[in-house]
């Protein structure tokens, strides 16, 4: 198993992983999404490959702190194929993400993980990797606001 940078031809194999992560999508949508993501300089995607098959992915984003004079990396997407968990793949992906963060001079690396029952094993994994449960995240959809904006006239 090796971890390497994402390549465009990996996208079809990521469709299945995104579904396992809880975000089903089509190949066309994911191709567009990945093109948009990789047009941004602060984003970086790693994939874990075993026997020429993508079995894991870490989507990373480099940001600046408001509260400190340094930068951080956020793991914004992280998944290991359900058939390949508990084999060290996630650990290797995390270590490679941390190496990338250190290379950029980041002082912290962080992630959010949903509070759903199926995420409990992931939470235990993150704790075992040295991450701390430090905050509670909140989310609000703005999709309805976008549709209102497009129908209003100035």
């Amino acid at each position: 198993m090796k971890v390497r940078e994402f390549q465009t031809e990996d996208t079809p194999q990521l469709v299945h992983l995104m579904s396992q992560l809880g975000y089903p999508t089509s190949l066309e949508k994911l191709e567009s999404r990945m093109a948009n993501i990789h047009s941004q300089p602060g984003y970086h995607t790693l994939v874990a490959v075993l026997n020429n098959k993508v079995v894991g992915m870490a989507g990373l984003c480099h940001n600046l702190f408001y509260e400190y004079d340094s930068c951080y990396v956020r793991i914004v997407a992280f998944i290991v194929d359900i058939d390949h968990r508990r084999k060290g793949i996630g650990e290797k992906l995390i270590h490679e993400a941390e190496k990338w963060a250190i290379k950029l001079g980041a002082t912290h690396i962080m992630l959010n993980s949903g509070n759903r029952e199926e995420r409990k094993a992931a939470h235990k994994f993150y704790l075992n990797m040295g991450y701390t449960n430090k905050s509670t995240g909140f989310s609000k959809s703005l999709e309805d606001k976008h549709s209102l904006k497009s129908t209003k006239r100035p």
Side-chain angles (χ1 to χ4, degrees):
M1 190 277 303
K2 71 175 184 174
V3 174
R4 62 164 170 76
E5 286 187 35
F6 164 82
Q7 298 168 1
T8 305
E9 54 270 17
D10 297 326
T11 308
Q13 295 181 66
L14 293 182
V15 173
H16 179 65
L17 291 178
M18 291 303 291
S19 182
Q20 287 186 22
L21 191 55
Y23 304 100
T25 190
S26 67
L27 176 58
E28 296 75 23
K29 286 182 179 182
L30 190 56
E31 285 173 335
S32 175
R33 195 175 309 145
M34 294 303 285
N36 286 334
I37 287 169
H38 286 279
S39 72
Q40 304 299 310
Y43 283 80
H44 187 69
T45 305
L46 297 170
V47 293
V49 180
L50 180 66
N51 299 325
N52 295 317
K53 180 182 177 194
V54 175
V55 294
M57 186 265 295
L60 312 170
C61 184
H62 176 241
N63 294 291
L64 297 173
F65 277 113
Y66 278 94
E67 56 272 44
Y68 305 114
D69 296 326
S70 61
C71 61
Y72 66 94
V73 166
R74 178 172 296 280
I75 301 171
V76 293
F78 189 84
I79 183 72
V80 172
D81 185 276
I82 195 165
D83 295 329
H84 293 88
R85 293 181 187 161
R86 304 185 70 91
K87 297 177 182 176
I89 295 168
E91 191 173 329
K92 180 76 170 155
L93 271 171
I94 289 283
H95 287 308
E96 291 299 320
E98 291 171 353
K99 281 185 193 175
W100 185 72
I102 291 166
K103 182 175 143 186
L104 295 177
T107 58
H108 293 77
I109 187 165
M110 55 192 73
L111 59 93
N112 286 23
S113 183
N115 288 326
R116 300 189 312 266
E117 185 66 30
E118 64 269 18
R119 294 281 199 254
K120 284 190 176 184
H123 295 175
K124 185 176 179 184
F125 167 75
Y126 299 134
L127 291 169
N128 289 338
M129 293 298 299
Y131 289 70
T132 58
N133 187 352
K134 191 172 178 169
S135 66
T136 299
F138 296 90
S139 177
K140 179 180 181 181
S141 174
L142 298 175
E143 288 185 305
D144 291 341
K145 305 286 187 208
H146 285 282
S147 63
L148 289 175
K149 180 181 171 188
S150 64
T151 58
K152 287 186 177 179
R153 298 189 183 221

